[in-house]
Amino acid sequence: LQECYNHSFNGNQKVAIIAGSSGTGKTTLANRFAELVLAGGGLFLSGKFDQLQQAIPFSALSCAFNEYCNMLIGSVDSQNAVTIATTLRDALGQDAAHLI
């Protein structure tokens, strides 16, 4: 996780996935890492796989994306929101439909 975070300072985008059996401390690890990222002024998003939603493709990624969208809605003006929406639509293309 730390290596991914350090890599991001060079303009690289990174995604880290924490996987393992239930009860092994994945959530605690993610929460502690989030504290580090947020203290450094970074952005931390998380999504959690839910067995009840296993039939929904990308449910954890969709959860993280929704969290990001909610953060954007609360922090940008309408012109920036249009710019962000356009940038996301251009970057994701047809794959954007999987995140809805």
Side-chain angles (χ1 to χ4, degrees):
L1 292 175
Q2 185 67 47
E3 184 179 322
C4 286
Y5 181 61
N6 292 340
H7 232 50
S8 70
F9 283 109
N10 297 325
N12 299 310
Q13 296 84 26
K14 291 290 181 178
V15 173
I17 298 173
I18 302 171
S21 301
S22 62
T24 58
K26 297 179 301 296
T27 299
T28 300
L29 174 64
N31 289 339
R32 289 197 178 153
F33 184 67
E35 291 173 6
L36 171 74
V37 170
L38 296 172
L43 173 66
F44 183 87
L45 302 173
S46 65
K48 190 169 184 174
F49 175 76
D50 182 353
Q51 285 188 336
L52 298 175
Q53 294 184 352
Q54 64 183 343
I56 301 172
F58 307 108
S59 63
L61 182 59
S62 179
C63 178
F65 187 71
N66 284 336
E67 180 182 339
Y68 180 59
C69 289
N70 288 333
M71 289 167 50
L72 288 176
I73 288 169
S75 66
V76 298
D77 59 44
S78 61
Q79 181 56 42
N80 284 338
V82 170
T83 301
I84 292 167
T86 301
T87 302
L88 285 171
R89 194 172 26 256
D90 291 347
L92 296 172
Q94 296 293 329
D95 293 327
H98 295 292
L99 298 175
I100 296 174

